[in-house]
Amino acid sequence: MKRAFYILFIIFCFQQTQGQDIQEVLAKVSHTAEHNPQEKIYLHLDKFSYTAGETIWFKAYATIGIQNLFSNLSNLGYVELIDPSGRVFSSQKIPLINGIGIGDISLIDTLTAGSYRLRAYTNWMRNYDDSYFYDRTIQISNGRADNIQTETAVSYAEKEDIYTISLKSLSGVPLSKIPVRYELIKDGESVSRKRTNTNEEGILKIEVDKKHQGALIKLRFENLEKMTVNKIIRPAPAVAKNSVQLLAEGGKILAGNLNNIAVKSINPQGLGVKSKVLIKSPTDTLAFIETNELGMGSSYIFVGDNMPISATATFDDGTTQDVILPEIVSEGYSIIVNTKNKQRIVSQINVSNQYMDQKELYFVVHHLGQVYFVSKQKASKNELVFNVDRAKLPTGVITISILNSQFEPVVERVVFNYQEGDNLPLAISLDKANYKTRDRVQVNIEAGTNQDSIRLSALSASVLNLSKIKDDYQGAPNILSALLLSTDLKGFIENPGYYFKDDKVKEHELDQLMLTQGWRNIDWDSIGLQTKPKFEAEKGIKLAGYTKKLGRKAAEPNAKVQLISTKNFMDFLDTTSNEEGYFDFGYLLFPDSIKFLVSARTQKDKRNIDIIMDTKSSAPVLANRNAPLEINDVNSRFLEQIRQSKQFFAQLEQGGLMEKSIVIEEVVVTATAQKKVADNSSNLNGPGNADQVITAEELSTCPTLEMCLAGRLMGVTWQGGAPYNTRGNVPMQVVLDGMFIEPEEISMINVMDIESIEVLRNVNYTAIYGMNGGNGLLILTSKTGASAMRSFVPRGILTIQPQGISATKTFYKPQYDVDDAVKLSRDLRTTIHWEPGLVSDNKGKTKFDFFTSDEGGKYLILLEGIDLSGRIGRKLIEFEVK
């Protein structure tokens, strides 16, 4: 509230001193920001890498704007796991209650080992660049159905790239002289398919033509257990050398002025690499820049008018290369921002002589149009200095925009502002100083300080055995880097956790990142334009569609539409389509895998109507912005973790907590006995639970269903081609493959397509159908589940199975102090504990407990969360188990 009041106060003061034109611009900017709220999402994971058979446990935090208040904009979130080939491997919908959601993803035994992407977003976030989705690359190995490790090397020839791939079992036995099929996939399409064989050492060579450079290589072969294994080999970099980019602060070098030049140096994989860059004129050295371990550095440089300059980079391996300089202009503006001052951000605007026209320049500090500070000066000299008090700005990525007298941005610079008071203080204390194996650990947490008026916060914690973690957990993405950096910066951010390491914010390194990274900004050209967002903020699952005149594109207005759950036919919703035929049932919440019937009737109560449901597509899978983290040979790199997990899985299987890994290969069925009832029968009582069953064999000699069934069905007569129940002489309901159809339409079905017919007349069988079963039912099942539909399209009714809310599992938590609890003979957990639902009370207190495993060493507690004021907190502590 204080921050909002301050913004209004600044705008009010500004109105008293500035002209109407700037006020109109600010009003439009404010309106744009208000109607385009920035929604963000972050997933706290239980750990950093995984193997097949494990579960990814996550908690979702959804926030709004730079203040990171819990979002009430969207009530649904989408979480997707994308496999190494770019295919969505798992897709989930999770409910977001006041910005909080939890879920899990099971990693099946048959997944392909490799670099996966875990992506999360809301429907509203799709209105903007998918670069701002939560998108994290994680490594997933497979020692269950795969059991193969690879080693990949690439050499470059004139016309092709040569991949040398070694195939070995996890124990190191080469796969000698085995046939291997491989396929090249580029831009989602297969461009080449071939076969080859490994040699005695289990090595195969694949030549990739330069025209297919950048293609994925998909391998398919049998392991030593004769199980089929799939491998994905990522393409090698097109250029096998380091590269350096020079970037001018503000975009351009203004001749005749002091400028700031930033350096970004990367290796062929796109990761930062150290370099030394020398910038010189024919007569003098202008700058010498040495980059940090992430390949970033900067230096001030003075470039005279018409001064020829050059730049050379030298790398640690002794190689050198010439570097292209940013554009040098003699007219225009440049900016130098001093972020070293703890109290103020000071900006120097350089103005060329041609633009010293005494017109106003406006200094606007904002975040996506949410303005925090505005001041102005006349362009009366070469150097203008603006400054703003840091305390008046929120923590996060802030944009400085310099507008000319026409209110057009002439130069911009992004900065990271940090206010220590914006962090959520978190304290963790343990109940004992020393712990042993299978010992109970009590963790006490305190959020906030005594000076805080509100101390409620949502938190999540994971506990890991560090001896089993090979990842750099300090540099991994975390809640701070995700909500303060990744949601506002474009492109790949290497080791994002590095900038918030050891409870400290690396402000100097963050400024280097700002100088070398693209960022999210408002589109000044669209300010004031009224545009309707393409994707709405979802409050639930919307089932919507259109009613059309039968066989035509024209709308069927004012149709009565009903949504019926197949789990309970007494559970239904009614609505009416509008003049355009559009209808929806509002926002719903239902579990996944639920089928619904959608039925419609015209105003004359006829079913001569088509129902077209809206199909909502998921966000397209585009290039991975974290591609430098994608690697080959994941099983080889995580071999020790695979071996540890296999031992743990064996204990879980022995304790009945995990099913044994079984991979079913191709099965050829040569003969089968005729079954009484089709397995795919839609009978809600279960296949065969009926008063009478007619099989395909009994129907084989009849030209039509009516002729076959007349006289054969007990208690059923035929009138006008429709079946009637002799109890009351009423027409029976006909169900074809789970869809309700009109009784008289049974004559349109090809008798040869039917596998079984079940008669339901007894109340024991019809009760489950509710009002639809009052007159009895005929359940028809086609031989293929679809063949009958080729000759018949039901009218006015449709079966749908929309994606619902994903069910969640319970994290296994051993209880070694309870006698009758399930216990493992050997406890070899990696994720010792996962606690996603922590909430601090009015005093900021909360707690949880867990048991250590049978393995000693260092354990890590990783705690993250947000309070009701939008303050973000993260705390890590280590403790010893002996």
Side-chain angles (χ1 to χ4, degrees):
M1 291 297 294
K2 290 181 178 179
R3 184 171 289 156
F5 174 80
Y6 175 76
I7 297 169
L8 293 174
F9 177 74
I10 287 293
I11 294 176
F12 174 78
C13 294
F14 197 77
Q15 288 175 340
Q16 309 306 309
T17 57
Q18 310 300 320
Q20 181 62 33
D21 288 342
I22 187 63
Q23 293 307 311
E24 292 178 358
V25 172
L26 289 177
K28 291 177 180 178
V29 169
S30 177
H31 181 272
T32 298
E34 180 182 349
H35 288 82
N36 292 274
Q38 179 196 25
E39 191 168 40
K40 303 182 281 187
I41 195 165
Y42 165 71
L43 300 185
H44 180 190
L45 310 184
D46 66 302
K47 59 178 186 170
F48 312 99
S49 59
Y50 298 86
T51 190
E54 292 183 331
T55 298
I56 300 175
W57 304 93
F58 64 84
K59 179 174 182 177
Y61 293 88
T63 65
I64 287 288
I66 196 169
Q67 289 83 9
N68 286 303
L69 299 173
F70 284 115
S71 175
N72 284 316
L73 182 63
S74 298
N75 290 347
L76 282 182
Y78 297 84
V79 179
E80 297 168 345
L81 186 64
I82 301 168
D83 72 12
S85 64
R87 181 181 62 89
V88 176
F89 174 81
S90 172
S91 176
Q92 295 190 0
K93 279 183 183 177
I94 61 169
L96 295 173
I97 310 301
N98 296 321
I100 297 296
I102 59 173
D104 54 80
I105 301 173
S106 298
L107 303 177
I108 62 174
D109 294 348
T110 55
L111 62 75
T112 301
S115 297
Y116 283 69
R117 294 167 62 184
L118 187 61
R119 187 171 73 163
Y121 57 92
T122 65
N123 196 54
W124 175 261
M125 291 169 66
R126 296 180 64 185
N127 289 303
Y128 311 97
D129 195 330
D130 75 333
S131 298
Y132 308 113
F133 291 0
Y134 174 87
D135 200 333
R136 178 171 176 172
T137 296
I138 57 176
Q139 313 305 333
I140 302 179
S141 56
N142 189 340
R144 302 280 280 172
D146 185 333
N147 280 317
I148 299 298
Q149 54 177 315
T150 59
E151 294 290 343
T152 305
V154 183
S155 58
Y156 298 89
E158 181 180 353
K159 294 183 179 180
E160 65 274 326
D161 299 336
I162 303 170
Y163 289 76
T164 303
I165 305 168
S166 168
L167 303 179
K168 296 184 294 184
S169 69
L170 295 182
S171 59
V173 178
L175 272 65
S176 302
K177 295 186 176 182
I178 65 164
V180 178
R181 289 178 287 175
Y182 69 90
E183 181 179 13
L184 302 183
I185 302 173
K186 191 172 185 179
D187 299 328
E189 296 183 1
S190 177
V191 295
S192 178
R193 293 181 181 177
K194 294 183 180 180
R195 297 188 179 192
T196 187
N197 292 277
T198 61
N199 62 16
E200 287 281 356
E201 291 76 34
I203 295 173
L204 62 93
K205 291 184 181 293
I206 297 177
E207 297 180 353
V208 178
D209 193 287
K210 291 292 185 183
K211 66 181 180 181
H212 298 321
Q213 196 169 59
L216 289 172
I217 303 175
K218 183 176 181 180
L219 307 179
R220 186 175 176 87
F221 56 90
E222 288 187 348
N223 61 16
L224 297 178
E225 291 77 27
K226 300 301 180 182
M227 298 298 181
T228 300
V229 173
N230 293 301
K231 294 285 187 182
I232 295 290
I233 305 298
R234 305 208 61 78
V239 180
K241 64 179 182 179
N242 298 331
S243 62
V244 175
Q245 187 178 11
L246 297 182
L247 304 106
E249 185 173 9
K252 298 177 181 178
I253 297 175
L254 184 61
N257 292 270
L258 188 67
N259 295 267
N260 191 18
I261 300 293
V263 176
K264 179 65 177 179
S265 56
I266 58 175
N267 65 17
Q269 285 73 40
L271 299 173
V273 62
K274 286 186 176 182
S275 67
K276 299 174 182 177
V277 178
L278 179 65
I279 304 176
K280 60 183 181 179
S281 69
T283 60
D284 195 11
T285 296
L286 302 179
F288 179 76
I289 308 173
E290 189 169 355
T291 67
N292 61 16
E293 60 190 25
L294 296 178
M296 295 181 293
S298 64
S299 178
Y300 295 111
I301 178 175
F302 182 85
V303 179
D305 293 326
N306 301 316
M307 177 188 291
I309 61 175
S310 61
T312 304
T314 303
F315 303 97
D316 283 352
D317 61 4
T319 59
T320 63
Q321 65 176 252
D322 295 332
V323 183
I324 298 174
L325 286 153
E327 182 182 2
I328 302 174
V329 297
S330 58
E331 299 180 8
Y333 307 85
S334 67
I335 187 172
I336 296 177
V337 178
N338 180 3
T339 60
K340 296 179 180 179
N341 190 305
K342 295 290 185 181
Q343 282 72 45
R344 309 188 71 79
I345 296 176
V346 182
S347 302
Q348 176 181 308
I349 311 303
N350 299 321
V351 185
S352 65
N353 293 334
Q354 296 86 343
Y355 287 92
M356 288 192 299
D357 51 11
Q358 301 297 317
K359 293 183 179 180
E360 304 286 1
L361 286 179
Y362 298 95
F363 176 77
V364 182
V365 184
H366 66 97
H367 175 263
L368 297 179
Q370 188 173 359
V371 179
Y372 293 95
F373 185 82
V374 180
S375 65
K376 71 170 184 176
Q377 290 188 49
K378 292 185 181 296
S380 58
K381 51 186 179 180
N382 286 113
E383 297 178 359
L384 303 176
V385 177
F386 297 89
N387 62 78
V388 58
D389 188 350
R390 281 183 178 272
K392 298 174 181 178
L393 305 176
T395 291
V397 177
I398 301 290
T399 301
I400 296 173
S401 297
I402 306 301
L403 309 183
N404 62 17
S405 58
Q406 302 301 312
F407 313 114
E408 301 166 334
V410 294
V411 64
E412 291 184 297
R413 161 77 144 94
V414 65
V415 298
F416 187 88
N417 185 60
Y418 174 65
Q419 294 294 325
E420 189 169 351
D422 288 346
N423 277 359
L424 172 62
L426 293 174
I428 300 175
S429 61
L430 306 181
D431 61 332
K432 295 191 298 186
N434 300 298
Y435 295 94
K436 60 182 184 297
T437 58
R438 298 205 179 194
D439 207 355
R440 179 189 288 274
V441 181
Q442 176 78 43
V443 182
N444 300 300
I445 298 169
E446 183 173 0
T449 65
N450 292 331
Q451 286 72 42
D452 296 328
S453 58
I454 300 177
R455 301 185 66 177
L456 296 174
S457 57
L459 305 166
S460 49
S462 64
V463 184
L464 303 172
N465 184 341
L466 281 180
S467 66
K468 296 187 171 187
I469 300 296
K470 307 302 179 185
D471 311 87
D472 175 18
Y473 64 88
Q474 292 280 16
N478 59 53
I479 194 169
L480 295 168
S481 68
L483 296 180
L484 298 181
L485 282 183
S486 302
T487 52
D488 282 302
L489 297 183
K490 290 185 176 181
F492 171 58
I493 303 174
E494 185 177 356
N495 292 347
Y498 164 83
Y499 301 99
F500 305 93
K501 193 174 181 179
D502 300 325
D503 295 332
K504 296 178 181 178
V505 176
K506 297 182 180 294
E507 295 184 69
H508 173 70
E509 288 79 1
L510 277 167
D511 197 52
Q512 301 291 318
L513 181 67
M514 298 300 111
L515 288 169
T516 57
Q517 206 84 18
W519 76 94
R520 184 174 188 170
N521 199 2
I522 58 173
D523 181 3
W524 290 95
D525 293 333
S526 67
I527 296 299
L529 299 178
Q530 300 292 330
T531 57
K532 183 181 179 181
K534 182 178 179 181
F535 300 99
E536 65 180 356
E538 294 177 318
K539 302 301 181 183
I541 304 173
K542 179 177 284 189
L543 301 182
Y546 291 86
T547 52
K548 305 280 187 180
K549 294 185 181 297
L550 188 64
R552 297 165 57 186
K553 294 182 179 181
E556 181 68 65
N558 304 315
K560 301 174 183 177
V561 189
Q562 190 174 66
L563 179 71
I564 308 167
S565 170
T566 58
K567 290 291 184 181
N568 181 0
F569 284 92
M570 297 298 292
D571 187 10
F572 60 90
L573 294 173
D574 290 309
T575 189
T576 303
S577 62
N578 63 17
E579 290 298 321
E580 288 75 37
Y582 175 80
F583 65 88
D584 70 62
F585 296 98
Y587 290 110
L588 309 173
L589 288 177
F590 50 84
D592 206 6
S593 303
I594 295 292
K595 287 185 179 181
F596 294 93
L597 295 177
V598 181
S599 65
R601 291 181 180 270
T602 67
Q603 293 184 74
K604 297 182 179 180
D605 204 33
K606 299 293 184 181
R607 286 192 174 179
N608 295 328
I609 191 171
D610 286 333
I611 305 170
I612 309 296
M613 296 298 295
D614 270 352
T615 55
K616 183 178 179 299
S617 61
S618 59
V621 178
L622 304 178
N624 184 8
R625 68 170 180 263
N626 299 311
L629 299 180
E630 296 177 336
I631 60 175
N632 290 319
D633 313 322
V634 169
N635 274 6
S636 299
R637 298 198 186 197
F638 292 86
L639 186 58
E640 184 59 31
Q641 287 179 307
I642 291 176
R643 288 170 177 162
Q644 292 170 349
S645 69
K646 288 172 78 71
Q647 295 176 17
F648 180 50
F649 293 157
Q651 295 299 312
L652 292 177
E653 291 170 358
Q654 183 178 339
L657 298 172
M658 183 178 187
E659 295 182 359
K660 292 186 177 181
S661 175
I662 301 176
V663 181
I664 300 177
E665 285 297 301
E666 297 175 358
V667 177
V668 178
V669 179
T670 56
T672 182
Q674 176 100 27
K675 292 186 177 180
K676 186 73 173 174
V677 180
D679 288 336
N680 59 326
S681 168
S682 62
N683 187 347
L684 298 181
N685 301 284
N689 293 316
D691 293 300
Q692 185 181 359
V693 174
I694 302 295
T695 66
E697 184 178 355
E698 297 173 86
L699 300 173
S700 59
T701 59
C702 303
T704 68
L705 277 179
E706 182 182 353
M707 292 179 63
C708 263
L709 300 178
R712 287 193 181 187
L713 301 185
M714 296 178 293
V716 179
T717 61
W718 292 83
Q719 301 178 26
Y724 274 66
N725 193 334
T726 55
R727 295 174 182 168
N729 195 33
V730 289
M732 301 178 69
Q733 177 66 64
V734 179
V735 181
L736 173 63
D737 288 335
M739 293 186 292
F740 289 78
I741 64 174
E742 296 288 354
E744 61 271 12
E745 292 174 342
I746 196 171
S747 61
M748 302 172 61
I749 300 174
N750 187 345
V751 67
M752 300 305 296
D753 288 333
I754 298 301
E755 184 171 353
S756 65
I757 298 175
E758 296 162 271
V759 182
L760 310 183
R761 296 177 65 243
N762 193 301
V763 69
N764 294 335
Y765 297 129
T766 60
I768 194 171
Y769 287 90
M771 59 184 295
N772 293 291
N775 297 341
L777 302 96
L778 293 187
I779 309 297
L780 280 64
T781 304
S782 67
K783 290 180 179 178
T784 64
S787 57
M789 301 309 297
R790 288 195 292 267
S791 57
F792 168 71
V793 178
R795 300 173 182 176
I797 196 164
L798 188 66
T799 301
I800 61 173
Q801 189 173 357
Q803 183 183 14
I805 299 299
S806 299
T808 58
K809 299 189 299 185
T810 300
F811 182 84
Y812 168 64
K813 179 181 178 181
Q815 298 288 336
Y816 291 122
D817 58 353
V818 178
D819 292 337
D820 58 351
V822 177
K823 300 175 183 177
L824 302 176
S825 58
R826 292 185 65 206
D827 187 344
L828 306 173
R829 286 169 288 155
T830 299
T831 300
I832 301 298
H833 189 66
W834 170 243
E835 193 75 45
L838 294 170
V839 178
S840 63
D841 59 21
N842 290 329
K843 296 181 179 180
K845 304 291 183 66
T846 187
K847 61 184 179 180
F848 67 94
D849 63 83
F850 61 91
F851 281 89
T852 59
S853 71
D854 285 339
E855 297 175 298
K858 282 188 176 181
Y859 283 32
L860 172 72
I861 299 177
L862 197 161
L863 178 69
E864 295 185 329
I866 306 175
D867 72 2
L868 293 184
S869 300
R871 295 186 301 175
I872 304 172
R874 186 172 190 259
K875 187 71 175 180
L876 285 73
I877 69 164
E878 297 179 8
F879 67 97
E880 194 81 23
V881 176
K882 296 181 180 180

